[in-house]
Structures are given as C-alpha cells and as structure tokens.
C-alpha cells in the first residue's frame, strides 16, 4: 500500500492564488509565442491536462481551441481562484499533487500533459515522481510538454553569492545536487529577495520559505529524468527540446509515452 502524505509545499501556493496572474512578474508566465509552442498540433476535442492552475493563459487558450481540458493543482486556493476566473463548466479543475499516482479514472487517458516551468519547483525526488505522475496520465503515444528553465535563477545567484560571502552557503545550497533550500536560507533569503511584479515582499518571503527544496537542472539532468521515468512498464521517449523564445535558457521538452519502456 502506498501511503500518500500531504505535500507541505501546497501551503506556499495557497498564499499566492490569483496574485500570480494578477500582479506577478510577467516573465514568470509563458508568452504568447510560448503558448503557441505548447498548442502546436492540438485540435478540438483533444484530451489535455494542464498541471498548475497558475498557468491560466494556457488553460484559456486550450479552452478556446475546443480541447477537453483538465487542470490539476495541489493548492486549494490556486484551484478555487482559477475556478472563479473561468466560465463555469469550461474545464475540470482537480486538486491533485502530480508527484503522486494519477487519479485512477484518468490514468492512461490524456493525449497531452502540459506544464510551464513546474519542474523547476521540484526537489530531485519530486522531479522523478512528478514526471512519472505526468506519464501516468498519458495514453500510449500521448505527449508531455514541460518547459524547464535550465541553470540558476537571478535570485539563486544572489543567494549563492551572499551565502558564500557570509560562509553559510552549505546550510542552504548543495552544489553537487544543485538543490537550493529556501526554507533553510534565513537572512540570506531575506537579503537577496527580488521583486515578483507587485506581490507584497512579506508574502513573497513566506512563499519562498514554503517552497522549500528546489533542484536546478542542466540539459543532461532532464535527459536523465526522462529516461528514468517508469510507470507500470511504460516510459517516456524524448521527441524534442525547443528553446523558448523570450525566456533565457528555458526549453520546452516534449516526450511521448511509450509502452513498453524503451530500454526495458
Ligand atoms: N510559470 C508557471 C506559470 O506560468 O504558471 C508557474 C510555475 S508552476 C506551473 C506553479 C503552479 O503549479 C502553481 O499553481 C502550484 O500550485 C502548482 N504546483 C506546484 N507543485 C505542484 C504539484 N506537486 N502538484 C500539482 N500542482 C503543483
């Protein structure tokens, strides 16, 4: 039996909700051109799941296309705020943690699972389980389209420089695994905080602390994650890695569900 524990990171997103699309930084959201990449080849009636209720513009674009859209998010507030912002009945919004097995009724049913820089919110263990949660939703031949920012964010760089100067870097950053722990960074986080659009700095600080451990990736890390994904004998085969137009060092990784797993 798998015991599912509550993902404590959801509480961080409960602090944000609609602030993300109302006042958050524009560059944290996919541009129109990037949304175009997500939508390529998706036609009316396609069964699509967006993971992350914050990615509202993509959800709206899929609804406008006539896709059959499910949105999954582990934060109750993110789900509620998106529900309030969209026409009733335009899509299904489910509270679900993608690092867990998919809801039984949806396993193997989706043609596309889409998410924008969601993988950047994961620790190393969550990244593996998160990709497997996406694979679990896909029908054979269905595609995951996941954009991922490679390398460090500007705020990570500030924190690492400050931590190095103060001799506290090792308390919140592991250079080997490239995992940064916002919950453990204390004053270094406070002193390195960069604005996120108009979001109140106190809320921002609590949001970062609640996000806890996040891995930073290079291209090879992503290749390894895709190759290792396995759910009940099925796997993922990478189809493409496309540079995102405006976002620096950000790529959209497209991988198809294959059965049996390719090197099995
Ligand atoms: N760049 C993104 C955007 O445009 O929305 C933001 C990054 S990510 C998609 C953020 C969203 O994913 C939030 O709504 C958060 O609640 C959700 N999220 C984070 N981890 C999750 C998880 N393990 N399962 C489900 N939803 C998750």
């Amino acid at each position: 039996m798998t015991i599912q524990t509550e993902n404590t990171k959801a509480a961080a997103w409960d602090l944000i909700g609609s602030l993300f699309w109302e006042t958050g930084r524009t560059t944290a959201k996919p541009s129109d051109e990037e949304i175009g990449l997500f939508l390529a080849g998706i036609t009316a009636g396609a069964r699509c799941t967006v993971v992350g209720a914050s990615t509202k513009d993509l959800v709206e674009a899929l609804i406008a296309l006539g896709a059959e859209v499910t949105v999954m998010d582990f934060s109750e507030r993110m789900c509620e705020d998106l529900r309030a912002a969209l026409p009733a009945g335009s899509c299904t919004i489910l509270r679900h943690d993608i690092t867990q097995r998919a809801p039984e009724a949806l396993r193997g049913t989706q043609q596309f699972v889409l998410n924008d820089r969601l993988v950047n919110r994961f620790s190393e263990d969550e990244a593996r389980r998160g990709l497997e949660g996406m694979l679990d939703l896909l029908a054979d031949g269905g595609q995951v389209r996941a954009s991922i920012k490679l390398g460090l964010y500007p705020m990570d760089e500030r924190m690492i420089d400050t931590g190095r100067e103060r001799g506290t870097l090792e308390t919140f950053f592991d250079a080997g695994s490239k995992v940064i722990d916002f919950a453990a960074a204390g004053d270094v986080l406070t002193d390195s905080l960069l604005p996120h659009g108009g979001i109140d700095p106190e809320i921002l600080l609590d949001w970062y602390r609640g996000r806890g451990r996040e891995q930073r990736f290079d291209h090879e890390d992503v290749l390894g994650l895709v190759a290792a994904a396995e759910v009940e004998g099925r796997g993922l085969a990478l189809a493409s890695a496309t540079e995102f137009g405006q976002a620096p060092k950000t790529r959209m990784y497209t991988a198809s569900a294959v059965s049996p797993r390719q090197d099995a």
Side-chain angles (χ1 to χ4, degrees):
M1 193 176 83
T2 312
I3 298 169
Q4 300 202 347
T5 50
E6 182 76 11
N7 188 331
T8 55
K9 289 186 172 185
W13 292 92
D14 285 337
L15 299 170
I16 298 290
S18 59
L19 292 176
F20 192 87
W21 60 77
E22 283 163 1
T23 60
R25 190 175 55 227
T26 312
T27 53
K29 303 190 287 183
S31 67
D32 290 347
E33 187 185 321
E34 290 156 4
I35 288 179
L37 284 176
F38 274 115
L39 298 184
I42 300 183
T43 51
R47 291 184 304 280
C48 303
T49 291
V50 175
V51 190
S54 61
T55 317
K56 177 172 164 278
D57 295 346
L58 176 60
V59 174
E60 288 175 324
L62 285 163
I63 293 170
L65 262 182
E68 199 183 297
V69 185
T70 301
V71 181
M72 294 184 168
D73 201 295
F74 67 174
S75 151
E76 185 62 45
R77 175 167 172 201
M78 294 298 317
C79 290
E80 269 171 23
D81 286 3
L82 185 67
R83 223 170 260 132
L86 296 179
S90 55
C91 65
T92 303
I93 302 176
L94 291 179
R95 187 170 176 211
H96 172 70
D97 177 359
I98 197 67
T99 66
Q100 306 288 342
R101 287 284 327 247
E104 217 164 320
L106 287 174
R107 288 181 196 161
T109 63
Q110 300 296 289
Q111 291 164 276
F112 297 94
V113 173
L114 313 170
N115 46 92
D116 180 54
R117 289 162 274 184
L118 169 73
V119 177
N120 293 101
R121 306 285 73 86
F122 293 155
S123 67
E124 60 279 57
D125 180 48
E126 289 166 338
R128 182 184 54 75
R129 288 187 286 118
L131 268 197
E132 292 183 343
M134 297 175 206
L135 166 61
D136 202 12
L137 287 164
L138 286 176
D140 282 350
Q143 285 187 348
V144 169
R145 294 179 178 180
S147 62
I148 302 178
K149 176 179 167 43
L150 303 177
L152 297 170
Y153 284 85
M155 206 174 98
D156 301 337
E157 283 169 357
R158 280 165 68 97
M159 288 176 64
I160 289 167
D161 288 347
T162 309
R164 203 168 276 134
E165 275 163 27
R166 297 182 187 175
T168 60
L169 182 61
E170 272 109 68
T171 61
F172 66 88
F173 183 68
D174 181 65
S177 60
K178 295 177 291 217
V179 170
I180 188 158
D181 186 348
F182 294 108
D187 288 350
V188 171
L189 171 66
T190 320
D191 298 340
S192 310
L193 191 72
L194 288 174
H196 197 295
I199 300 178
D200 181 285
E202 286 306 314
I203 297 179
L204 264 190
L205 275 176
D206 284 340
W207 179 46
Y208 274 106
R209 288 184 193 117
R211 278 165 40 181
R213 290 162 52 78
E214 292 183 358
Q215 188 180 0
R216 301 299 176 236
F217 303 92
D218 57 29
H219 179 66
E220 282 63 39
D221 296 326
V222 181
L223 297 185
L225 274 174
V226 170
E230 177 166 13
V231 180
E232 293 184 344
R234 299 197 313 148
L236 286 170
L238 188 72
S240 62
T242 311
E243 287 295 331
F244 247 19
Q246 288 98 351
K249 291 211 270 165
T250 304
R251 292 188 189 163
M252 192 176 78
Y253 289 88
T254 299
S256 305
V258 286
S259 178
R261 189 167 165 262
Q262 278 192 334
D263 63 356

